[in-house]
Amino acid sequence: KGQKVRIRIYNQGQGISREDLPYVFERFYKSDKSRGLDKKGVGLGLYIVKTIVCSHGENISVTSRDGKTEFTFTMPLVN
């Protein structure tokens, strides 16, 4: 659309709880409370994605309902 491309990524499954949605882009945040020190991952992935998207002057959002979680973001179109 214009000089931007809109990207939507979704999956179906357990989803993200309404309480966790405001925090999913925070550094070190893990919505799965069962993930202790013996589990892999440090909760940086979505934080890094948001940092990259925002560094291009764009935004990213997430919705999760009825077992479908969807991330939507825009990026500048490169000619």
Side-chain angles (χ1 to χ4, degrees):
K1 193 172 193 179
Q3 293 299 310
K4 296 184 181 194
V5 61
R6 178 177 294 157
I7 300 156
R8 290 185 178 155
I9 301 167
Y10 73 92
N11 73 350
Q12 294 177 316
Q14 182 178 353
I16 300 171
S17 74
R18 182 176 300 177
E19 295 81 22
D20 288 325
L21 279 175
Y23 307 106
V24 296
F25 295 110
E26 288 188 8
R27 188 169 48 165
F28 303 122
Y29 185 78
K30 295 181 185 180
S31 62
D32 183 355
K33 306 301 186 253
S34 69
R35 295 182 65 163
L37 295 175
D38 61 331
K39 306 288 182 170
K40 293 185 177 185
V42 292
L44 285 173
L46 290 174
Y47 171 78
I48 292 169
V49 168
K50 184 173 183 174
T51 300
I52 292 168
V53 169
C54 290
S55 74
H56 288 280
E58 303 297 331
N59 293 307
I60 185 168
S61 63
V62 60
T63 60
S64 188
R65 62 180 159 271
D66 300 326
K68 180 179 177 183
T69 300
E70 181 174 277
F71 291 87
T72 304
F73 63 98
T74 56
M75 291 299 281
L77 185 62
V78 178
N79 295 324

